[in-house]
Amino acid sequence: MTNSLSQRQAFWLGFRHGGPFILVVAPFGLVFGVVATEAGLNVVQTMAFSIAVIAGAAQLTALQMMTDNAPVAIILATALAVNLRMAMYSASLTPHLGPAPVWQRALVAYLMVDQAYAVSALQYEKTPDWSIPAKVAYYFGVVTLICPVWYLGTLSGAVLGAQIPDTIPIGAAIPIAFIALIGPMLRTLAHVAAALTSVTAAIVLAGLPYSLGLLVAGLLSMVVGALVEIWQTRRREAQT
């Protein structure tokens, strides 16, 4: 595929690539809706939270800390730390979508979710010669199903709440979703080192109050990943 790809073709290609993710996004949203109502939020508050943030991991983390009566500053800091990956996602997509009109970039920023980034970044690497309009259309195609399904999943969970039987393992959608996203992206030693560090640190520090272990694990993983990347760069330079 080259620059001859039309925006329409790019959109529907993105639509097909993003479609399978609804199988994990729907139950993920359902889990958030259930947890939010159990934490004391009403349906309107739950939907406002989900529509404004669109970040399941940060939302669940914030809810857990709210139920633990953590200080507001700690809740905000941890939620922002969990969502720092969005800044890295944006930086990664800037070479591809940076020249797009401001309103399109603003909409892409609002609709920035893990699934859309993972699929789009891989596609852009495969087809770097696509036009900017085609790349934007592809991204919007990917999120066309993902985001509405996230909203509907949240609404369903908030409305149904405790009526969902415990025998239905909807919570399994969360780890499955992140494994499916992260697995294909672990392509360098730095990526693997960062992932292993975050998992190990989160487990070891699970006993810290207010779920601070997640915040520390995230920071440690970024430091380790950066150090490994620096080490690899210096090693390559020494060999040349």
Side-chain angles (χ1 to χ4, degrees):
M1 298 181 189
T2 64
N3 284 329
S4 62
L5 189 75
S6 70
Q7 294 181 55
R8 181 184 178 86
Q9 291 172 317
F11 176 87
W12 287 112
L13 180 62
F15 185 89
R16 293 195 299 273
H17 289 176
F21 284 105
I22 66 174
L23 298 177
V24 290
V25 170
F28 198 165
L30 196 65
V31 170
F32 174 73
V34 172
V35 173
T37 53
E38 289 179 348
L41 301 184
N42 59 38
V43 175
V44 174
Q45 293 170 330
T46 300
M47 290 306 301
F49 196 173
S50 209
I51 292 172
V53 181
I54 319 182
Q59 291 174 220
L60 287 172
T61 300
L63 278 179
Q64 180 60 51
M65 299 182 75
M66 289 167 61
T67 57
D68 291 341
N69 296 316
V72 174
I74 297 296
I75 295 174
L76 292 176
T78 304
L80 287 172
V82 172
N83 265 3
L84 275 178
R85 68 190 189 283
M86 298 299 174
M88 293 185 283
Y89 291 172
S90 298
S92 174
L93 294 182
T94 294
H96 303 286
L97 304 179
V102 173
W103 72 268
Q104 291 183 347
R105 283 182 280 136
L107 190 54
V108 167
Y110 169 70
L111 297 172
M112 181 68 68
V113 293
D114 297 290
Q115 296 85 355
Y117 166 74
V119 174
S120 298
L122 290 175
Q123 184 63 42
Y124 296 159
E125 287 185 9
K126 295 178 182 177
T127 53
D129 56 343
W130 274 8
S131 66
I132 299 300
K135 290 181 178 180
V136 173
Y138 178 84
Y139 188 93
F140 288 149
V142 173
V143 298
T144 293
L145 285 178
I146 291 175
C147 290
V149 167
W150 169 254
Y151 302 146
L152 290 174
T154 300
L155 179 61
S156 299
V159 172
L160 296 175
Q163 298 179 35
I164 301 175
D166 293 336
T167 54
I168 300 178
I170 57 175
I174 299 176
I176 291 174
F178 281 97
I179 290 172
L181 287 171
I182 295 172
M185 301 176 71
L186 300 180
R187 290 171 290 173
T188 69
L189 180 60
H191 294 160
V192 174
L196 290 176
T197 299
S198 64
V199 172
T200 303
I203 293 173
V204 172
L205 302 175
L208 290 181
Y210 306 133
S211 300
L212 287 174
L214 292 175
L215 179 60
V216 176
L219 294 174
L220 287 175
S221 66
M222 287 188 284
V223 171
V224 170
L227 290 175
V228 172
E229 186 68 34
I230 293 172
W231 172 74
Q232 286 185 299
T233 300
R234 290 177 177 174
R235 185 179 180 184
R236 286 193 296 267
E237 292 174 349
Q239 293 175 344
T240 57

